[in-house]
Structure formats: structure tokens, C-alpha cells
Amino acid sequence: MQFPIQFICATHDYADYGHIVPAPYLRRSFTLDPAPEQAEVLVSGLGFYRIFVNGKEITKGILAPYISSPDHMVYYDRYDLSGLLTQGENVIGLLLGNGMQNSFGGYVWNFDKARWRGAPMAALQLTAKLRDGTEFSLDTGSGFKTHPSPLLMDELRSGEYYDARLEIPGWCEPGFDEQDWTDALPATPPRGELRLCEAAPIVVSEERKAVSITPYQDGYLYDFGIDSAGRCRLRVKGEPGQEIFTSHCEWFHDGILDQGNINFGDRGDPRCVNVQCNKYICKGGGVEEYAPWFAYYGFQYVYVKGITAEQATPELLTYEIMHSDLPERGNFSCSDQTANLLQKFTRRSTLANFFHFPTDCPHREKNGWTGDAALSAEHTLLNLEAETNYREWLRNIRAAQDSRGALPGIVPTDKWGYDGGNGPAWDCVLTYLPYFVWKYRGDVEIVRENATAIFRYLHYLTTRMDSRGLIAIGLGDWCPPGRGAEQYKSPLPFTDSVISMDIARKAAQMFDAIGWDMQAEFAEKLACRLKKAVRRDLIDLSTMTAAGACQTSQAMAIFYDVFEPGEKPAAFARLLELINDFDGHMDTGILGARVIFHVLSAFDRADLAYRMITRPDYPSYGNWIARGATSLWEDFHPEGGPVNSLNHHFFGDISSWFIQSLAGIVLNPEGDDVSRLDIAPHFVEALTHAEAFHVSPAGKISVSWKRDGEDVLLSLEAPESLHGCIRAPKGWLLPDEMGVLPLASGQYRLKKAR
């Protein structure tokens, strides 16, 4: 598809709170003679679309084609119409949703003021090769008719309002009388680049029925048992005009279904009245089914009103759990149910927050927060096949980079997030996503695609240094236990400068991989410059203590090699003191949590890391389980403290730690050879066995270990094309009293060192 294919709309009027504009139907009738031999259609909808051919829906999934800034990227999808078109009359139909084109529910991030805001529009191109060898084509330049649909309101965050009494039977089928329909209007084409969407579609992965249904207020409360994301499919036999209202929430406490953690602004603000809500009006006369297409929700509970006691059955609502279609690539399990639940919760939260690209929560923001995705990239790639969606989102991230080289805190955006809500710990997504895809998949192309933007960002960092050569421009160690999100113990100049140093180092590695020698030298010099400034002004070398004297600073300084190798033992001893000062608990925000457990296992204290993660008392991941969590939370707050999102993924690197440190699958340890595999497990005392797998580019790697008396039996299956070694953990010996053996599939008996 290429411009100047005409975009069309039903009206130039667009919806807002208090001003309803129904989603438009669009239809085009055409005749084929003879029947087609092959045919395809390309379709773009701004914001979203559903597509029907001769009455059959073929839409690839909800929220098609994608969520993007129309000023940057305008996506379209391709459909094979083989077997769908016939000789004679055929009809193609569209239903358009607001999506990002009119995201008035995103007013907190100024989406209601976006310069692209307008009525939903579409462009379409159909081509067919007929059996007599002739070709047929049509597009949205002419001939499309339009009519308001029964979908009276749709908004990505607010929900949908559907009046089934207004349905138009046969509207997208041949033989329909369209005399009451009007001509579609030409629309001003969007400014963005038109491109085929290559991201995996959003799919239904599971269907759930409520685990309980109880009377609540003037309706019923459906509890589905887990906090995830998707939609509810309504199935009801109702009376004509019966209004059924559903509200989707994740927080139920003290007998109250509380939307306080998903609303923005004052509860009296009319824009906060309907968040994650649906209204369905029955047409009557039989069983009716309805499920939203242009909105999705994060929830465990659904409050339903407008139904009778007889209708309040498990069959009324079905939870369709949804996310981008990311096949499993790895997993972990062990003898401890707490760790198994945390692995399951990490998977659940990662998927619930992956709708085309990583989001920060499925119920409230639905935004592509860059820092969240950077923190989750490694564990996501170890567990899921996400690189295609990462590549697509990176195109949008590059398009959002401004003339300075700066990046916004969320993508897509219009103008929000460039001068707040960002900074190196968030902007690192531009470097970290291609780096980890390159590391784990050996994909050099993704490095080439992003290299120029990364280099521009490095230049931008040089303009943000202060007189000491340090950087302090963004968000820091977000969400520390028991404190407000911005109450960091680790000083912002420390976290920003250290992350900037790591960005430069990773950039240097990637530049070297594609032969960008001069750029690699620039990046390496920048990393050295930042390290020198941090060591000079933010490290007390007399005590080997990083600025802030806290777990985050100390762990980051060790993990990112601010300390020299000879200094690290003393620095690690200082980290242990800081952990002991907090009674053996973690005391980090998201930046510290990303590294502290890896540092502990690198110094043979995986046992301590495991206790910190799984212990049941606050603050810990295990404490979330003890308090009834079914997914990862946004905060480590004590009982009775403020509640934010109960479904976040940025604390999910524990899954990476489980796979790499407990099971011992360490793929490409130096980041320069995807055919290198080290097996380096840790036999923590709390476990009797552990196992994991990961499907590398070379094939499936499977590792398991179990205790056998005083010994441990280690089993390994790995592709023969991989090379590396098997390393015994400290205090253990491999056969022949070796600490290291060459990598080879088989079973190994490890004994404690004498």
C-alpha cells in the first residue's frame, strides 16, 4: 500500500467525554466475473478496525493494526482472501474504533490534545487475479458507504457502550439494501510512514470462568481468581432494552471493590467515572453474545449490574485472557512452590503487559513506558519469543527521538515525556532491546537498524553532563520499599551516570559487531569518562562504598564494574553489611532489584539472594504471595500502605535469575558469541531440585539438578553446536574432582568438596 490511497471517514466529528459519536460502519459492494483465482486486501485503520468479507470476520485480533503515533507510523495489515470471494456480488465491510486516533481517555499524557486527534479513518486496497487472467482492484478512493454502528462509544482505557437494538443484520453481506447509507468522506491522510505491521497479533490464550459470584451493592461481583488482562465475553438471554453494566477492577479489600488505584485525578472528575467499563443494551429475543474489540482491561474482578439473579450464572461472563502472541521459549521450576508461583506470576505479568509492545500496567496506563521494557527485556527474551514485537516497537522509539537525540518516557506519545518521566534509566530501552536480542538471538540486523539512533543518543548524553561530568536528568531507583516513588536512597547523579556508562559500553560492543570502529571508540571513551567521574565524586574508596550507602548503589557499582576487580571483594562485603542493616531484606527500587540478586550469586551467595526473594515477611516477593498476589505488583509497600498497580512486570528479572543462577543456563556470557553456553547452577539449601529450559538459536537447552543423598545429579541436554563449559558451584566438584568440565550433554554427579 502506498499513498496517495485515500483515507476515508464517516464524519469529521469525533467523540469525547459527554459527546458520543458512534463507531462507523463502512461497506463496499463490488462484482467479480469470473471468480478470482487469488486475492488479497491491505487495510489500515486509525485507530483500530474490524474487517469483514461477505459477512465473515477475518480481523487478525483486537486492537488491529497496532498502537502508534499517526505522526510517526501508520500501520496496515495484509489478508489473503483465497476462498472468500466468489463470482458475482461481494462485499467488504469495516468497523472503525477510536484507538490512538482519538484516545481521549489518555488525557493524563495529553493524548486528548494530540495534534493528530480526529475521527477514526481507514484506507484499503483490494487486488484480485481473476480466472480469465484479468486483474481487479479497488480502494477507498470511491464507492464506500457508511452508517453509524451499534457501538455507541469506544475508548481504549474507558471501555465500550453497545446497543444491540441498533444492529443492522446483513450489513456486510451481498444483497443488502444500502439506500439509507451515506457516502464516506475523504479524510486528510496522516503524516506518519505507512508500513506493514510485522508484530505478532493479540490473541486469546485462555478462557476462565469465575471462581465465585456474590451479591455486591446493587449487582454481582465476579471473581476470576487471577489478576491478568483481556476482556469478558458476555452471553445473556435478556429482555429488549435491558442495560447490563460491567466494571473491571483488580483490587478488592475490606468488602470494597476499589478503583482508586486505576483512576487518575480527582474522583469527582467526570473523566474518572467510567474506567474499564462496558455497557451493553440487549435487543431481546434470544441468547446474545458480546465482547469488546477496541478496548481491553486488566482485572481480576468484574462488577455487574442490571442483571437478574437468574442471569447471574458462571455462563454470563467468560474471561478471555489476551496478549500478543509470544510463543514460549523458556521456563523454570523447582521444589519450592513459592519460587514456582513467582515464575508463574512473572510470566503472567509480562504477558498481561504485552499488547503489541510492553506496557506498564494493563488496567490503568496501557502506555509503552520505556524503562519498564528495558528492565524486563532479558527475562522476557529468556522466556518468550518477543524479538519481532521488540523490533516493531523500536521503529516507533526511533521515530520518537527528537532533534536533540532525546527520547520520551513513553512510546507512542505526542509531546509528553521528553522533559520528565524519562532519563537514562528509561532511555536505555533504545540500547538494551537490540543488545539483548543480539545477545540471545545472534541478530546483528537489529543492531544495524538502531545503531544510528543509539549513536545520536550518546551524543545527547554528552550535552547533559554537569561540570563534574555526571548526569542527573531523569527518573531514578523507582518504587523503593515503603517509600514514595521518587524517594530514592541512591542519588540520581549516581544511577543516571552509571546507567549512561552501561549504555555506552553496550553500544561500543554493538558498534564493534557491525564494524563501526570510530563509533565504538567514541562510545568506549564516553563510558570511561563516565566511570572516571563516578569513581572520583561518588565512590568512597576508603570504605569501598558507593554514594548513598545503600543496596542499590552498592549493587549497581559492582554489577556495572564501577569497582575494579581487586576492589570488588571489599565492595561486596560492604553490600552484605547494607543487607544486614535491613535485617536481611531487600531495600531497592527497580534499578537495584534488577542487579542485586545477580551480584549475590556471582559472589556465591545465591542462598542469601533466594531468601531475600522468597521470604514471606515484608519487604519481599514472597510477601506478595503471602498477601494474596496472583501477579507481580508495582510496589513493595507494607500492609495498609498505598496500593498502586497489582500487575506490573518491571520487577520480573527474578525469572532471569532463576533460569541463569539457580538452573545455571548462562547463554553468551560475554555478550559476543551466541554459540557459547556455560552451565553454572547454584545448589541453594532451600531447594532439593531445580530445572529450566531455553530454546537458543542452535536448539533447546535443558538443565535439571536434584539432590541424591549428599550428592547432586546434574542433567544437561544441549545442541552439539554449542561450546562452553560446566562449572561446579563453590564447595562442589564435578566428576574426577574437577571444578570445570567442557560442555557436553549427559548426567553428572557432583560431590561436596572435601
Side-chain angles (χ1 to χ4, degrees):
M1 181 186 289
Q2 294 291 334
F3 290 128
I5 288 176
Q6 180 66 58
F7 274 81
I8 58 173
C9 59
T11 173
H12 296 298
D13 189 18
Y14 53 86
D16 202 344
Y17 288 113
H19 178 59
I20 289 177
V21 178
Y25 280 146
L26 295 166
R27 64 168 268 129
R28 174 71 152 83
S29 173
F30 56 97
T31 300
L32 296 177
D33 188 18
E37 189 173 86
Q38 59 188 45
E40 72 171 19
V41 64
L42 310 178
V43 59
S44 176
L46 288 177
F48 305 132
Y49 71 84
R50 296 174 70 178
I51 182 169
F52 305 80
V53 177
N54 291 335
K56 179 180 179 180
E57 180 163 16
I58 61 172
T59 318
K60 67 179 185 180
I62 74 164
L63 313 187
Y66 197 74
I67 299 174
S68 64
S69 159
D71 279 359
H72 295 153
M73 297 287 171
V74 179
Y75 285 93
Y76 68 91
D77 293 316
R78 176 183 284 115
Y79 294 93
D80 182 0
L81 300 185
S82 299
L84 296 176
L85 301 179
T86 63
Q87 183 173 8
E89 185 186 9
N90 293 270
V91 175
I92 190 160
L94 296 172
L95 174 64
L96 303 185
N98 282 303
M100 191 56 69
Q101 180 72 7
N102 182 26
S103 182
F104 51 93
Y107 60 88
V108 175
W109 309 276
N110 297 330
F111 287 122
D112 60 330
K113 299 179 179 66
R115 56 185 172 175
W116 64 70
R117 188 179 177 194
M121 63 177 79
L124 177 148
Q125 183 182 71
L126 184 150
T127 57
K129 183 178 180 180
L130 306 185
R131 289 176 181 171
D132 62 2
T134 60
E135 294 185 350
F136 172 88
S137 66
L138 68 81
D139 59 40
T140 38
S142 64
F144 272 81
K145 298 288 187 176
T146 185
H147 192 282
S149 78
L151 182 56
L152 300 183
M153 193 280 288
D154 69 278
E155 204 284 322
L156 179 62
R157 296 172 178 84
S158 295
E160 295 189 358
Y161 175 5
Y162 188 91
D163 189 343
R165 298 171 300 179
L166 302 178
E167 289 179 345
I168 305 174
W171 73 271
C172 56
E173 297 175 2
F176 178 76
D177 183 359
E178 59 183 32
Q179 65 176 349
D180 293 333
W181 290 46
T182 59
D183 292 337
L185 303 175
T188 302
R191 288 177 283 267
E193 173 192 348
L194 193 65
R195 64 169 291 109
L196 178 69
C197 182
E198 297 178 10
I202 295 166
V203 297
V204 176
S205 64
E206 181 186 351
E207 294 188 353
R208 293 181 66 92
K209 292 296 186 182
V211 297
S212 68
I213 304 169
T214 56
Y216 179 77
Q217 294 183 354
D218 54 352
Y220 294 87
L221 184 65
Y222 279 63
D223 178 0
F224 289 93
I226 63 169
D227 192 346
S228 191
R231 65 186 182 185
C232 266
R233 185 176 72 246
L234 173 70
R235 190 174 192 273
V236 65
K237 185 175 183 181
E239 297 297 321
Q242 181 181 355
E243 295 189 6
I244 301 174
F245 174 85
T246 56
S247 178
H248 305 71
C249 303
E250 64 164 4
W251 187 25
F252 183 75
H253 65 98
D254 302 321
I256 300 170
L257 189 63
D258 198 332
Q259 284 193 317
N261 70 322
I262 62 176
N263 280 331
F264 293 102
D266 188 345
R267 283 175 179 265
D269 189 327
R271 296 175 298 186
C272 294
V273 172
N274 292 322
V275 179
Q276 296 208 130
C277 295
N278 288 328
K279 182 187 287 186
Y280 180 84
I281 302 180
C282 299
K283 61 185 173 183
V287 175
E288 305 171 44
E289 286 199 5
Y290 164 76
W293 268 83
F294 301 141
Y296 75 98
Y297 316 109
F299 64 100
Q300 176 174 337
Y301 306 95
V302 179
Y303 167 54
V304 190
K305 68 177 181 180
I307 60 172
T308 66
E310 292 73 24
Q311 291 171 328
T313 66
E315 288 69 38
L316 181 78
L317 296 178
T318 300
Y319 194 163
E320 295 184 338
I321 292 175
M322 309 179 83
H323 49 76
S324 289
D325 188 12
L326 309 180
E328 182 180 66
R329 181 171 276 150
N331 211 337
F332 168 86
S333 64
C334 67
S335 55
D336 183 2
Q337 183 64 3
T338 297
N340 291 339
L341 285 174
L342 291 173
Q343 169 69 11
K344 181 182 293 186
F345 294 176
T346 299
R347 177 73 59 86
R348 181 174 294 149
S349 289
T350 301
L351 289 171
N353 285 282
F354 215 120
F355 278 67
H356 295 313
F357 47 77
T359 65
D360 78 320
C361 53
H363 47 74
R364 183 177 65 203
E365 300 200 19
K366 299 179 171 68
N367 281 323
W369 277 95
T370 54
D372 302 41
L375 288 160
S376 294
E378 187 167 20
H379 86 248
T380 299
L381 287 165
L382 286 170
N383 280 275
L384 301 166
E385 190 177 316
E387 60 271 18
T388 300
N389 283 58
Y390 280 157
R391 173 175 264 116
E392 199 66 73
W393 191 43
L394 278 163
R395 293 186 177 102
N396 291 264
I397 293 171
R398 295 195 302 272
Q401 191 172 30
D402 71 11
S403 59
R404 301 171 297 168
L407 296 166
I410 61 172
V411 177
T413 186
D414 181 16
K415 299 176 182 177
W416 191 93
Y418 286 93
D419 298 307
N422 59 349
W426 270 246
D427 306 339
C428 65
V429 71
L430 175 64
T431 304
Y432 283 16
L433 289 190
Y435 174 81
F436 284 115
V437 172
W438 172 59
K439 176 178 179 178
Y440 288 116
R441 308 311 301 169
D443 184 351
V444 179
E445 284 306 308
I446 197 170
V447 174
R448 291 193 179 98
E449 291 169 5
N450 293 280
T452 298
I454 293 170
F455 191 59
R456 288 183 60 214
Y457 184 75
L458 294 182
H459 274 284
Y460 166 71
L461 287 178
T462 65
T463 70
R464 302 307 304 268
M465 290 178 170
D466 63 19
S467 59
R468 300 176 296 170
L470 300 171
I471 298 173
I473 58 174
L475 302 176
D477 193 31
W478 199 252
C479 295
R483 301 188 295 281
E486 295 183 357
Q487 295 175 344
Y488 316 132
K489 284 189 175 181
S490 184
L492 186 60
F494 179 86
T495 55
D496 266 5
S497 299
V498 170
I499 293 295
S500 297
M501 179 190 72
D502 188 57
I503 291 171
R505 281 182 179 157
K506 286 180 167 58
Q509 281 186 277
M510 290 190 288
F511 293 156
D512 184 65
I514 60 173
W516 283 26
D517 297 338
M518 293 180 62
Q519 292 87 342
E521 182 180 0
F522 174 86
E524 190 57 48
K525 286 182 177 178
L526 177 58
C528 292
R529 181 179 170 189
L530 286 162
K531 178 177 177 177
K532 182 178 179 180
V534 172
R535 284 178 59 84
R536 182 187 62 236
D537 291 322
L538 299 177
I539 300 291
D540 182 349
L541 293 175
S542 66
T543 61
M544 295 301 166
T545 304
C550 62
Q551 292 180 21
T552 287
S553 294
Q554 201 70 12
M556 287 181 67
I558 296 170
F559 185 85
Y560 294 114
D561 295 325
V562 176
F563 288 114
E564 300 293 350
E567 298 167 344
K568 284 189 176 183
F572 182 72
R574 182 73 180 105
L575 175 62
L576 292 180
E577 290 177 4
L578 294 168
I579 293 172
N580 289 334
D581 289 345
F582 208 60
D583 193 29
H585 292 84
M586 61 183 292
D587 185 25
T588 73
I590 55 175
L591 303 184
R594 173 65 179 83
V595 301
I596 190 169
F597 306 121
H598 295 283
V599 170
L600 287 168
S601 55
F603 282 82
D604 300 307
R605 291 303 308 272
D607 55 339
L608 175 57
Y610 190 80
R611 284 199 303 273
M612 291 170 69
I613 292 168
T614 59
R615 60 187 303 163
D617 56 335
Y618 167 84
S620 70
Y621 292 81
N623 184 246
W624 288 345
I625 294 175
R627 290 161 60 182
T630 61
S631 52
L632 301 184
W633 292 357
E634 182 179 12
D635 301 280
F636 293 96
H637 279 304
E639 197 89 45
V643 173
N644 290 312
S645 169
L646 300 180
N647 195 342
H648 249 61
H649 60 105
F650 60 21
F651 276 114
D653 189 71
I654 51 170
S655 175
S656 162
W657 186 81
F658 290 159
I659 292 170
Q660 295 188 82
S661 290
L662 293 186
I665 298 176
V666 185
L667 184 66
N668 196 0
E670 302 302 321
D672 58 359
D673 183 1
V674 75
S675 66
R676 170 69 186 266
L677 170 67
D678 288 354
I679 302 299
H682 289 84
F683 307 146
V684 299
E685 290 297 326
L687 300 180
T688 59
H689 75 263
E691 60 184 274
F693 77 89
H694 174 72
V695 182
S696 76
K700 186 174 182 179
I701 303 160
S702 298
V703 178
S704 65
W705 59 262
K706 63 179 180 180
R707 299 188 186 277
D708 183 26
E710 293 187 354
D711 300 343
V712 169
L713 295 179
L714 174 70
S715 297
L716 167 65
E717 292 183 16
E720 292 184 1
S721 60
L722 296 179
H723 66 95
C725 63
I726 303 171
R727 299 182 184 275
K730 184 179 180 180
W732 292 84
L733 291 173
L734 286 155
D736 300 325
E737 298 193 347
M738 299 291 290
V740 181
L741 287 176
L743 183 72
S745 297
Q747 188 173 81
Y748 301 85
R749 180 176 290 274
L750 287 84
K751 296 181 177 293
K752 287 186 177 180
R754 294 190 291 271

